[in-house]
Amino acid sequence: CRALREAEAAELELVIATGRRQAYAMPLLSPIGLRPETVLITSNGTVTRTLGGEPIDRFFLPVETARALCPALRPFGTTVFTFDREGPGELVLESLQALHERIAIWVEANRPWIREVRPLERAFDAGEAPVQGMVCGGVQEMRLAAEALAESPLQSQIEVHRTEYPSRDLTIVDILPPGCSKGVALQRLAERRGVRRESILAVGDNWNDLEMLESAGRAVVMRNGAPDLVMLAQQRGWEIAPANDDDDVAQVV
């Protein structure tokens, strides 16, 4: 926290990029004490606004695409859709119990925002489009889910990112509007600011950070990140930071 505050005081621009939605990220970010104009990229790049709430960018999964994803993903587990709105219904899913068995901590932390809808296709009856879809499960199971999406007719209508935690046998597969990623959102912001690629430092720890790391002039991967990503970073000559328990981000910044 101190390193980030000192970076802003030194007139470096900080950008927080996360797979979480804003309401889930803010309790972690608010205590840092960053400026309200600090940019926050959420839902893996589909929504960008400042910490103070000023909107910058927002992209949606078309309703028909989201509805078609429901039967396509049902064989792989419980699908969750994220809507960019406040309160109950920000997160919509079909079976809270089934998801709870897989990621109980996440369910308990997000319970006030979750709404169950059966069948899930009915979540789009009012015509509101989500910003993100998500399905989670075991590492191998979710690799099969990602492969199934890549081979489906929906492939050209979506962007798929995965976040893997092999030690927990857990993978989250995120389904986004086409062309969305943390990297694309960061590039779009840099172009608006007139910032060159060489002036961008990115720190990441998982596969949903890949495009962001590739778009930065200086890419840094956390030592305790996804093992395959750490191996890729070493092959590409990217920096390997200490683990998060050793204040890796603070040391890099």
Side-chain angles (χ1 to χ4, degrees):
C1 293
R2 184 172 65 252
L4 294 177
R5 289 194 296 268
E6 290 175 356
E8 280 202 335
E11 301 302 322
L12 296 175
E13 181 168 9
L14 298 181
V15 178
I16 310 296
T18 176
R20 299 169 183 246
R21 72 192 199 289
Q22 184 156 355
Y24 195 20
M26 286 305 293
L28 301 176
L29 299 176
S30 295
I32 300 175
L34 300 176
R35 298 168 181 167
E37 58 268 26
T38 300
V39 174
L40 175 61
I41 296 168
T42 58
S43 293
N44 275 324
T46 59
V47 179
T48 303
R49 54 170 60 96
T50 66
L51 292 182
E54 179 185 350
I56 298 174
D57 275 326
R58 186 170 61 165
F59 301 91
F60 297 95
L61 274 169
V63 167
E64 290 309 313
T65 300
R67 187 177 280 117
L69 283 166
C70 297
L73 292 173
R74 197 166 274 123
F76 299 100
T78 298
T79 303
V80 180
F81 284 101
T82 300
F83 292 84
D84 190 38
R85 60 190 185 209
E86 295 184 7
E90 281 187 53
L91 300 167
V92 177
L93 50 80
E94 204 165 52
S95 172
L96 190 60
Q97 180 178 353
L99 191 64
H100 194 283
E101 293 172 358
R102 172 56 67 175
I103 46 174
I105 294 174
W106 182 91
V107 169
E108 291 307 317
N110 287 279
R111 191 178 287 271
W113 294 277
I114 294 173
R115 176 176 294 156
E116 287 182 289
V117 175
R118 295 190 184 93
L120 189 56
E121 287 87 338
R122 297 203 60 187
F124 311 106
D125 286 355
E128 183 179 0
V131 294
Q132 180 184 24
M134 180 269 280
V135 64
C136 71
V139 172
Q140 293 304 320
E141 180 186 12
M142 289 300 100
R143 287 184 179 180
L144 292 175
E147 290 172 8
L149 288 172
E151 296 169 0
S152 79
L154 295 167
Q155 187 268 338
S156 62
Q157 304 169 43
I158 57 176
E159 200 77 33
V160 177
H161 299 279
R162 74 183 194 275
T163 309
E164 289 189 352
Y165 304 98
S167 63
R168 298 164 56 192
D169 190 27
L170 175 65
T171 293
I172 299 167
V173 174
D174 286 309
I175 303 99
L176 310 178
C180 284
S181 70
K182 293 181 183 180
V184 170
L186 187 62
Q187 289 173 24
R188 190 180 295 111
L189 181 68
E191 289 170 2
R192 288 173 175 164
R193 299 283 202 268
V195 176
R196 297 178 303 168
R197 179 178 180 272
E198 295 76 17
S199 299
I200 299 174
L201 161 72
V203 185
D205 72 339
N206 221 300
W207 287 103
N208 62 332
D209 296 316
L210 181 61
E211 291 81 4
M212 179 181 70
L213 293 163
E214 291 176 333
S215 69
R218 182 178 171 189
V220 182
V221 174
M222 294 163 56
R223 187 171 302 281
N224 64 310
D228 289 352
L229 182 65
V230 174
M231 289 179 58
L232 178 66
Q234 292 170 333
Q235 293 167 5
R236 294 191 177 186
W238 292 347
E239 293 179 52
I240 307 297
N244 62 329
D245 285 340
D246 299 315
D247 296 327
D248 65 318
V249 173
Q251 291 194 48
V252 170
V253 171

